[in-house]
Amino acid sequence: MSEPPVQPLFASAVRAMRKLQDLGDPLPADVVTQLSKLESSSLSDAERRTQLETLLRPFVLVDVAIDERGSALSTAGAAPPRLVQHGWRSFLVRVSNPHRLEANLSTGNGGVYGLIDYHSHSARIALADTLTVVPRIKNAWLDAKLAGPDELSGLEVEYRVISLYSRDGGVRSGGVMLVAEDQHNHHSLSRTPQGLAYQRTNFELGEYAAGFEFDCAPAPEIRIDVREPDGRSCMAAITVRDAQGRTYPSKAMRLAPDMFFHEHVYRATGEMIRLPAGRYEVTAIRGPEYRPVLTTADVDAETTEIPVVLDRWVDPAARGYYSGDPHIHAGGCSHYNIPSEGVTPETMIRHVRGEGLWLGSVLTWAPCYYHQKQFFSGAAISPPADLEDPAMQAAQGMTWMPQPTDRDAESTLRYDVEVSGFPSSHSGHLILLGLTDQDYPGTTLIEDWPSWNLPVLRWAKEQGALVGYAHCGIGLGVGTEELPNYIVPSFQGIGSNEIVVDVPLGVADFQCGTQFAPAAELNIWYHLLSVGYRTLMLGETDYPCIYDDGPGIGRTYVRLAEPPTGPQAIEAWNTGLRESASYFGDGRSHVFDLAVDGDVSREHSLDEPGPVQVSATVAAWLPEEPPPPPPGRLMYSAPVGWHLERARIGTSRKVLLEVVLNGLSVATQELVADGTEQEVSFDVPVERSSWIALRVMRSVHTQPIFVEVGGRPIRASRRSAQWLHDSVDQLWKVKSGFIRESEQDAARQAYDEAQAAYRTRGEECEVDR
């Protein structure tokens, strides 16, 4: 049998050598030189092959042999198994594939023993049914990743690179096993101790894994001294990356409050991140009211601290506007693999403080309802950001101590309810803010709740709650960006469906958006406003169901005479929404003190038609150059979300501010988004009773000011009234089949009453538009 050509083997070795260099673990310079000389040597192929293998053998950590059935046997190579705590070290892997099977090489289920099912421990909490969690997490100390493409080259011998991460310092036993997988079905081709093949199970250490006594050099804890510009201590989002872009602490090794789906972690002034020696980029930010601060840090044996001063570009609270996110979760969604789980208030407050929010509404919903409802108290809380399970976190190597900050009291949590996964969810997911009782009368299970929304809303409003609809745009897109538009949507999703019934009956206060296409989110709102209803619109995140990045991706700012702190924070915030000025958006642009003829009140009157002056103070910030898309993902595919970057005019730093009159843009002004506060003023003719607002599309929108002319109510669009009337018909057609038979008569009556209200208002409208 003839020897295979040697050149592909050299190409494989050179690729692996370059990958090691890229990962920060280069081969010694003399080895690189010898490899280069050997590649062009006049020796025979057999001699060159032998010398190549001899040259690289000291740097091979794992030898993998694949037999004719695809079983992969991993054995220890000659490389010393030296790792570094909380850091990555990279080694060569030699793969022998004499039968030249086509397969993907992978580390299987973690690729290491001691790290089994690692994703599901990333955010687990202590529950009565998780008594084995502590020892399991304690043993899950090692992670492995193959660098480069998954596919084997088909060569009889090739070299690959593997990177290993150690959570711990000192000497620890561990093993590495690589597997060959079918390229098309992603099933293992390897024999396990339980038998051959096409399985993806938790592989056990045995004859198919390489065992090691790893010597893990300890890494020091580095104090993060994060400060406000005025020197106050605070909580912030800290992202640490090495030269290869790897994030610290390792995402696979995280335990709440550090989340495996974040690039960042939240740290207060004086709290720690363990880092091995090396150069790092440290990014700090505290929500969109701050510019990101990038610091390069060289960590060595003498390093104890990384100082960071935040860069705030706007302070809405200084002008009396206080931020809140009315829709975040402590369980379900991307947080957890087991729906009954979730994190405690001590973790949620860390996330809210780290994003610079004054109020976070933590909404308990179906997947985590019975566990999370224990945190409901009917009052706002501001707990210390303690580690929620010391035993588990100690097992995970989280030895740092939480620290209080100067700004802690400014952020509060309020536990309330999202009616999601309940019998009425088909009608749209409700947000109930400010409940005093979270259990619907006469129910013991969520399955007992009403099968349509109006009874739930009435019950919540009797408690004084502010109530409305979540993620309003889901299912309401109609294939156009026109606003307003008059296409009746399908109502096939979970957006603000039944709101078209509930608003005219006086039982829905708001809808929430800033997540999807503005036309899908704002259209119902515009139509309701144009026939005279005072419905509110709020910005929300639905963290971490729609947005993983953190709370406050969508925000609502409310003008209040005093900060919303203490047990009654939500009541103060809700009152401000009902009575005062507010705006919502992504926090990258702001509209302060919207006024009509100098009057900032929500209601304004004119004796007769004529021009009014619309004024405000506006601020927005964009980087001078368009950046790459931000990291993170959307669970749902949104055609257009809300972000000021999407309002950028071309490649300039300008955005367009619009005056909206009865849903139509009637005046515009280009603004430079350089972070400065700018006074704006527009002369707007008002011919009849109308609503007026300002917006930067896809970034910020104010609540309207309602202008009544000659004492007449706002009836600005007969077409809007008809659209709302027809939407009720469509809603009944799509949703009535989900309403219990025992509730059908009451629901039909409510739908009829809503349509009657729209007919009346339509007849009262002064114009057809």
Side-chain angles (χ1 to χ4, degrees), residues 38 41 43 46-56:
L38 187 60
S41 169
L43 295 172
E47 291 176 307
R48 293 166 66 205
R49 182 180 296 104
T50 299
Q51 290 192 24
L52 169 67
E53 301 264 33
T54 301
L55 189 63
L56 296 184

Side-chain angles (χ1 to χ4, degrees), residues 379-582:
I381 58 174
S382 186
D386 292 337
L387 301 181
E388 58 184 67
D389 190 295
M392 280 175 45
Q393 279 142 339
Q396 182 67 0
M398 296 172 66
T399 57
W400 52 274
M401 297 296 295
Q403 301 294 317
T405 80
D406 296 333
R407 306 204 65 177
D408 283 356
E410 295 176 358
S411 296
T412 61
L413 303 177
R414 180 55 147 80
Y415 278 75
D416 272 310
V417 172
E418 179 189 0
V419 182
S420 172
F422 290 66
S424 67
S425 295
H426 62 91
S427 294
H429 291 183
L430 297 180
I431 292 178
L432 312 177
L433 300 178
L435 294 173
T436 57
D437 180 359
Q438 65 179 332
D439 292 310
Y440 191 84
T443 65
T444 56
L445 300 172
I446 58 176
E447 289 79 8
D448 300 330
W449 283 49
S451 62
W452 62 305
N453 280 336
L454 188 141
V456 177
L457 292 167
R458 282 179 171 158
W459 160 73
K461 285 186 72 67
E462 288 172 359
Q463 303 179 49
L466 192 77
V467 298
Y469 282 79
H471 38 67
C472 63
I474 298 179
L476 297 179
V478 293
T480 179
E481 291 299 299
E482 184 182 1
L483 266 175
N485 67 73
Y486 300 92
I487 305 170
V488 174
S490 67
F491 292 103
Q492 293 285 357
I494 52 173
S496 52
N497 298 324
E498 199 189 291
I499 196 170
V500 297
V501 175
D502 302 326
V503 165
L505 299 184
V507 293
D509 300 310
F510 64 83
Q511 65 176 20
C512 288
T514 69
Q515 298 157 338
F516 302 105
E521 294 186 327
L522 300 178
N523 199 49
I524 284 181
W525 187 45
Y526 279 15
H527 287 311
L528 289 169
L529 295 175
S530 290
V531 295
Y533 294 110
R534 267 51 171 176
T535 314
L536 297 164
M537 182 81 179
L538 279 59
E540 63 168 8
T541 299
D542 199 355
Y543 166 74
C545 291
I546 291 180
Y547 285 100
D548 278 350
D549 304 47
I553 301 300
R555 295 169 174 240
T556 305
Y557 292 83
V558 183
R559 189 176 61 204
L560 300 172
E562 296 179 351
T565 58
Q568 300 302 304
I570 191 72
E571 285 77 10
W573 204 70
N574 288 350
T575 298
L577 279 168
R578 291 185 178 105
E579 299 176 0
S580 188
S582 64

Side-chain angles (χ1 to χ4, degrees), residues 194-516:
Q194 289 73 35
L196 183 67
Y198 296 104
Q199 304 178 56
R200 289 204 75 170
T201 59
N202 292 329
F203 295 106
E204 304 291 340
L205 177 65
E207 59 178 314
Y208 291 90
F212 299 94
E213 288 292 311
F214 289 104
D215 184 3
C216 310
E221 287 188 332
I222 306 300
R223 181 177 182 268
I224 307 297
D225 186 25
V226 57
R227 299 279 175 175
E228 290 280 8
D230 61 8
R232 286 184 294 172
S233 59
C234 63
M235 188 84 68
I238 307 294
T239 303
V240 181
R241 291 189 176 93
D242 63 16
Q244 288 72 45
R246 296 176 298 210
T247 305
Y248 294 77
S250 168
K251 293 168 68 175
M253 293 288 187
R254 292 185 184 180
L255 187 71
D258 298 344
M259 313 311 286
F260 67 89
F261 51 84
H262 286 164
E263 294 297 312
H264 58 271
V265 295
Y266 293 104
R267 289 292 185 270
T269 309
E271 293 180 345
M272 307 291 186
I273 296 178
R274 194 180 290 274
L275 295 174
R279 171 164 286 193
Y280 300 91
E281 286 189 346
V282 180
T283 304
I285 195 169
R286 195 168 182 258
E289 298 163 20
Y290 297 73
R291 301 178 184 92
V293 174
L294 179 63
T295 301
T296 300
D298 290 307
V299 173
D300 55 29
E302 306 300 318
T303 306
T304 60
E305 179 179 284
I306 298 175
V308 177
V309 179
L310 297 174
D311 182 10
R312 177 186 276 278
W313 68 271
V314 69
D315 188 1
R319 301 189 64 107
Y321 288 81
Y322 298 93
S323 60
D325 188 337
H327 190 176
I328 61 178
H329 295 295
C333 301
S334 302
H335 270 317
Y336 318 101
N337 291 341
I338 301 174
S340 64
E341 297 180 359
V343 297
T344 66
E346 288 73 20
T347 289
M348 292 307 297
I349 194 65
R350 178 176 290 270
H351 294 200
V352 168
R353 288 174 181 151
E355 297 296 339
L357 287 163
W358 286 78
L359 177 66
S361 292
V362 186
L363 304 180
T364 302
W365 65 300
C368 55
Y369 183 77
Y370 300 108
H371 178 72
Q372 287 288 317
K373 72 195 301 288
Q374 68 179 298
F375 303 120
F376 174 86
S377 65
I381 58 174
S382 186
D386 292 337
L387 301 181
E388 58 184 67
D389 190 295
M392 280 175 45
Q393 279 142 339
Q396 182 67 0
M398 296 172 66
T399 57
W400 52 274
M401 297 296 295
Q403 301 294 317
T405 80
D406 296 333
R407 306 204 65 177
D408 283 356
E410 295 176 358
S411 296
T412 61
L413 303 177
R414 180 55 147 80
Y415 278 75
D416 272 310
V417 172
E418 179 189 0
V419 182
S420 172
F422 290 66
S424 67
S425 295
H426 62 91
S427 294
H429 291 183
L430 297 180
I431 292 178
L432 312 177
L433 300 178
L435 294 173
T436 57
D437 180 359
Q438 65 179 332
D439 292 310
Y440 191 84
T443 65
T444 56
L445 300 172
I446 58 176
E447 289 79 8
D448 300 330
W449 283 49
S451 62
W452 62 305
N453 280 336
L454 188 141
V456 177
L457 292 167
R458 282 179 171 158
W459 160 73
K461 285 186 72 67
E462 288 172 359
Q463 303 179 49
L466 192 77
V467 298
Y469 282 79
H471 38 67
C472 63
I474 298 179
L476 297 179
V478 293
T480 179
E481 291 299 299
E482 184 182 1
L483 266 175
N485 67 73
Y486 300 92
I487 305 170
V488 174
S490 67
F491 292 103
Q492 293 285 357
I494 52 173
S496 52
N497 298 324
E498 199 189 291
I499 196 170
V500 297
V501 175
D502 302 326
V503 165
L505 299 184
V507 293
D509 300 310
F510 64 83
Q511 65 176 20
C512 288
T514 69
Q515 298 157 338
F516 302 105

